[in-house]
């Protein structure tokens, strides 16, 4: 038994060392990812539940490493945040996404429903003084109306440093961009701070959406969130909508927008070329 314990310990020790080494390798590789052109942006459609029309896209970062293959943002975004690399790559993504949106809007012509693009902004970017200037520059370069640019922030990210975040968020609001709370329901979910933040959109987390339409326990929570956001004149995006059952239920409850595999997976811009000209998402 004693030997076993030693082995178990040795095993743990090795895997811990591996983890540290993997992490350092990943960090090293991430430092050069942007300049080597290994980062790209995928876009996932966001649909108007009432009409089925395309309303916009969420821009999601992708990293294709030459030997590791595609690395999940769940693995590299936290490293990018801790190392501060997110500031540079985030600014790059903002430019890419705004430029892509301007191209799509031009391709659709002036009579079409105006599309938005939604970009994830980490707490590290909110803390960094450069973000407001980057957003201002990107709007000027692309000529996009500011409200077409949505910035997604997480509840926990904002709550972590409310005072610093508030100053940045107010400056962004003054630019006229649309602020969205991401993963709503998973963080602190204090109703009072929703009132304090210059937010126009709430993105309801996938964990609440996955059970709706099947008399799941979360239905009453989703109903309550929809009632509250309606009273506050906020629009809601349901995340992770995968089935017709879910979209039907959400539409009946008066949810505004939906995003998920039912409408399309994140993909490169070229894969959405046809969707841009279609009347409805599906
Ligand atoms: P998120 O912002 O909550 O993004 C939604 C995630 O859910 C995406 O994963 C998307 O591919 C996935 N998803 C969308 N529809 C469905 C669905 O119907 N079912 C299921 N099961 N999943 C769905 P992804 O692209 O792997 O991104 C993971 C997270 O990484 C994002 O979560 C976001 O927090 C972070 N992230 C991605 N790109 C960026 C970025 O550019 N900047 C920052 N700061 N974070 C990013
Ligand atoms: Ca998001
Ligand atoms: Ca989310
Ligand atoms: Ca999430």
């Amino acid at each position: 038994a004693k030997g076993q314990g030693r082995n178990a310990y040795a095993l743990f020790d090795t895997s811990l060392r591996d983890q540290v080494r993997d992490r350092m390798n990943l960090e090293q590789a991430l430092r050069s990812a942007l300049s080597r052109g290994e980062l790209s942006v995928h876009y996932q459609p966001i649909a108007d539940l009432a009409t089925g029309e395309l309303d916009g896209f969420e821009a999601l970062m992708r990293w294709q490493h030459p030997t590791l293959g595609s690395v999940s943002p769940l693995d590299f975004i936290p490293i990018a945040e801790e190392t501060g690399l997110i500031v540079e790559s985030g600014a790059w993504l903002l430019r890419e996404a705004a430029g892509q949106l301007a191209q799509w809007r031009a391709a659709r012509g002036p009579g079409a429903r105006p599309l938005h693009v939604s970009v994830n902004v980490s707490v590290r970017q909110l803390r960094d003084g450069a973000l407001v200037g980057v957003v201002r520059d990107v709007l000027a370069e692309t000529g996009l109306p500011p409200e077409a640019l949505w910035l997604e922030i997480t509840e926990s990210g904002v709550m972590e440093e409310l005072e610093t975040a508030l100053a940045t968020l107010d400056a962004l609001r003054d630019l006229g961009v649309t602020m969205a709370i991401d993963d709503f329901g998973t963080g602190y979910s204090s109703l009072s701070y929703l009132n304090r933040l210059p937010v126009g959109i709430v993105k309801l987390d996938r964990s609440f959406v996955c059970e709706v339409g099947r008399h799941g326990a979360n239905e009453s929570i989703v109903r309550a969130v929809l009632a509250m956001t309606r009273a506050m004149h906020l629009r809601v995006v349901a995340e992770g909508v995968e089935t017709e059952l879910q979209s039907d239920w959400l539409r009946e409850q008066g949810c505004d927008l939906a995003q998920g595999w039912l409408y399309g997976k994140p993909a490169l811009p070229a894969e959405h070329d046809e969707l841009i000209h279609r009347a409805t998402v599906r």
Side-chain angles (χ1 to χ4, degrees), residues 58-60 119-120 152 182-183 203 239 259:
E58 179 174 0
L60 294 153
V119 171
N120 296 283
E152 302 189 9
D182 200 2
D183 302 342
K203 298 194 74 174
E239 296 190 293
Q259 174 182 358

Side-chain angles (χ1 to χ4, degrees), residues 44 58 60-62 73-74 77 81 86 93 120-122 125 152 182-183 206 239-242 260-261 266:
Q44 186 175 32
E58 179 174 0
L60 294 153
M61 192 143 16
R62 294 290 179 264
L74 297 175
I77 294 288
E81 286 175 355
I86 194 72
L93 180 134
N120 296 283
V121 170
S122 78
Q125 288 171 280
E152 302 189 9
D182 200 2
D183 302 342
R206 180 157 58 90
E239 296 190 293
V241 175
E242 296 179 356
W261 295 345

Side-chain angles (χ1 to χ4, degrees), residues 4 42 55 57 75 82 89 96 116 120 135 149 152 156 158 174 190 200 214 220 237 239 259 271-272 276 282:
Q4 234 174 14
H42 281 207
D55 193 80
F57 292 92
D75 292 326
E82 285 162 38
S89 53
E96 283 285 317
H116 77 265
N120 296 283
V135 170
L149 181 60
E152 302 189 9
S156 43
V158 173
D174 291 345
S190 143
R214 292 184 302 164
S220 50
V237 182
E239 296 190 293
Q259 174 182 358
E271 292 182 59
H272 295 307
I276 293 298
R282 50 187 300 282

Side-chain angles (χ1 to χ4, degrees), residues 204 208-209 212 218-227 249-250:
L204 185 63
F208 294 97
V209 173
V212 301
N218 285 329
E219 284 183 358
S220 50
I221 298 176
V222 175
R223 274 201 204 89
V225 169
L226 291 172
W249 188 90
L250 289 160

Side-chain angles (χ1 to χ4, degrees), residues 29-180:
L30 192 56
R31 284 189 190 282
S32 44
L34 185 58
S35 59
R36 288 185 182 161
E38 293 166 11
L39 298 183
S40 61
V41 189
H42 281 207
Y43 297 85
Q44 186 175 32
I46 298 174
D48 183 320
L49 270 166
T51 65
E53 289 173 285
L54 181 66
D55 193 80
F57 292 92
E58 179 174 0
L60 294 153
M61 192 143 16
R62 294 290 179 264
W63 179 19
Q64 187 68 33
H65 185 273
T67 54
L68 295 171
S70 92
V71 186
S72 167
L74 297 175
D75 292 326
F76 75 81
I77 294 288
I79 299 177
E81 286 175 355
E82 285 162 38
T83 54
L85 291 165
I86 194 72
V87 172
E88 197 190 348
S89 53
W92 168 82
L93 180 134
L94 251 167
R95 275 210 162 69
E96 283 285 317
Q100 182 58 59
L101 178 68
Q103 232 173 292
W104 275 329
R105 286 168 64 116
R108 274 158 69 97
R113 179 182 174 123
L115 301 179
H116 77 265
V117 74
S118 201
V119 171
N120 296 283
V121 170
S122 78
V123 64
R124 184 68 182 250
Q125 288 171 280
L126 285 182
R127 209 193 307 144
D128 185 90
L131 181 67
V132 178
V134 171
V135 170
R136 187 188 296 119
D137 289 351
V138 161
L139 290 174
E141 287 161 16
T142 55
L144 283 173
E147 69 274 8
L149 181 60
W150 295 11
L151 301 179
E152 302 189 9
I153 51 178
T154 60
E155 297 173 270
S156 43
V158 173
M159 292 305 290
E160 242 171 64
E161 292 177 59
L162 192 58
E163 293 316 315
T164 340
L166 271 181
T168 306
L169 293 175
D170 284 340
L172 291 169
R173 192 221 13 229
D174 291 345
L175 290 178
V177 298
T178 302
M179 304 302 304

